[in-house]
Amino acid sequence: MGIRSKYSLHITALIAGALLVTGCGQRGSSDSVGQKMGQSSEKLADKASTASSKVAQAVDDSTITTKVKAALVAEPGLKSAQISVETKDATVTLSGNVDSPDQKERAKQVASSVDGVKNVVDGLSVKSS
């Protein structure tokens, strides 16, 4: 880098610094800037907390789905491969086909009994013979 380029770079940095200082001086006292920064920090913390909660809920929903699927597989007489399980906000939705109304009811009971399940939505269909 030549002398001229270095000189231009320094001048540009000085001008940018002067503009920054001037801009800060026009916004108000350092107290109001500090307050704004504090408010921004609080908003950022709230958003981070909300994001963390959403991630935790997604993990919980995924865990519930896994537990319900395992419980359905362990249930004798249920063709669990034909039953789909989705969970949102601890509400489990069952869908797919079962062979009889008894199997439909049993699948709902099994899903309801899993720890963490708040509600079960029945989207199961009984196969017609």
Side-chain angles (χ1 to χ4, degrees), residues 98-114:
V98 292
D99 292 333
S100 69
D102 289 340
Q103 286 184 354
K104 181 177 179 176
E105 190 59 35
R106 187 64 195 138
K108 291 188 318 186
Q109 290 172 351
V110 168
S112 295
S113 70
V114 171

Side-chain angles (χ1 to χ4, degrees), residues 16-27:
L19 289 174
L20 182 62
V21 169
T22 303
C24 287
Q26 290 177 351
R27 289 188 177 206

Side-chain angles (χ1 to χ4, degrees), residues 3-18:
I3 300 267
R4 195 170 212 191
S5 295
K6 286 183 183 180
Y7 181 74
S8 294
L9 184 61
H10 288 308
I11 294 296
T12 304
L14 286 172
I15 291 171

Side-chain angles (χ1 to χ4, degrees), residues 53-99:
S53 295
K54 287 180 181 180
V55 169
Q57 183 62 48
V59 169
D60 289 345
D61 286 344
S62 178
T63 301
I64 290 170
T65 297
T66 301
K67 288 180 181 180
V68 169
K69 287 180 179 181
L72 291 172
V73 167
E75 186 63 27
L78 274 181
K79 293 182 180 174
S80 59
Q82 297 176 352
I83 300 173
S84 295
V85 179
E86 292 183 27
T87 308
K88 176 133 174 83
D89 298 328
T91 295
V92 172
T93 302
L94 301 176
S95 59
N97 296 310
V98 292
D99 292 333

